[in-house]
Amino acid sequence: MPALKKTALTVISAALLSTFVISPASAVSKDTSDDQPKPPKGMSKVGGELLGRAGTQVKLGPDAPVLPKDLTGRSWLVADAESGQVLASHNPHWRLPPASTLKMLFADTVMPALQPKTRKYTVKDEDLADLGEGSSLVGVKEKLTYTVHDLWLGVFLRSGNDAVHVLSAMYGGVPKTVDAMQAHAEELQALDTKVASPDGYDAPDQVSSAYDLTLFARSGLQKADFREYSSTAEAQFPGAEKNGKRESFGIQNTNKLLTGAGGVDPYKGVAGVKNGYTTHAGNTFTGVAERNGKVLLVTVMNPSSDETHAVYKEAASLLDWGFDASGKVTPVGELVPPKSAATGTGKGPAAGQGKDEGNNGPAQTAKAAAAEGGGGGVGIALGIVGGVLVLLAGGVFLVNRRWPLPDLVRRLPRR
């Protein structure tokens, strides 16, 4: 009888232990209730085996801070932009609708082909014929002429699907653009992504992942023009022609960590990259920030929190954690380089990304932005907030000794 009693107590104790001993993964993410979608089994393991597991993955060292509480994003990732190490993740390979964060892939694919940025184009009626209902617009009008520079400001600041479709027309049409984006995603080893529209508008089967979106940001940030547009807070956009003179109107970046709009605190050191929203995708955001010489990338997809601007607040808290945890955690994976960089072939859409395309340095970038006609880009954050553009350690780092870090970032004080 005593033996049976002892056995029963052992079973009860084991059950209680399994109830109360929880991993950091289950302690930090709140989107696991029965009424929330669950990540699929068999997610991709690109970048490391742990990245294919459901739930939160983090390896805390003895002095590492714990992850922020009450993270509700279905998927998120925080990574070191220099080394490519993934510091922590939550379902990073879950294929989800990306909304306008997919515009990062659009820009990284199309931008090198549409040069110089002073190139002009007169918009045709058919260029704007297939915009999705309720699309975000910057205000591009048929029969008016814009520079490539104007249109990119419309893409990055106002997430304008009208600007995306005009740039796609200049590139050769939407089908060609979609095919090129898909090929570039595969070159970047962003294998969770399926492209159906160039602007991120909800479309059947159009998906990406926090991992892939981070790859797109990292690739785009190799380009000076991409960095300029993604870090521009305010600008003037060409309007109608009246009395032989072209009017303009102000536009502001929808990235609230950059501008501080809507009651969101601007994040110290943020330098882009892109936010998005659709009813199907929820809120999505990828950002890059620098602090004390460390550059981090963060992506958050579809927070379930009812808190206003949750996607920005969760991204900011993950960045804070990442800067505090740097050097105190064991990476759970890595951001892989493009196929051509990994193989050394130098072929494919990513070839040449080892170079900083565009202007040569911070002073030249700022001056060129202010001197441009049309939209002008005069509201680049350097001029708006008084931050400084700096070259990091001579301008080039090697990522895993085979790929350069974005060499130009911006430090912003909090307002």
Side-chain angles (χ1 to χ4, degrees), residues 24-47:
S26 58
V28 296
S29 290
K30 300 287 187 177
D31 64 344
T32 55
S33 60
D34 290 340
D35 61 345
Q36 292 289 341
K38 302 296 189 295
K41 296 181 180 179
M43 290 184 288
S44 169
K45 296 181 181 179
V46 172

Side-chain angles (χ1 to χ4, degrees), residues 143-175:
K143 301 180 176 60
L144 291 182
T145 299
Y146 301 86
T147 66
V148 168
H149 178 73
D150 296 330
L151 295 169
W152 282 123
L153 287 171
V155 170
F156 277 91
L157 273 66
R158 297 305 305 167
S159 205
N161 290 2
D162 46 358
V164 169
H165 278 249
V166 173
L167 288 164
S168 296
M170 296 178 69
Y171 189 75
V174 167

Side-chain angles (χ1 to χ4, degrees), residues 202-217:
D202 286 338
D205 301 323
Q206 180 156 271
V207 291
S208 191
S209 67
Y211 185 88
D212 285 9
L213 294 175
T214 309
L215 290 182
F216 301 152

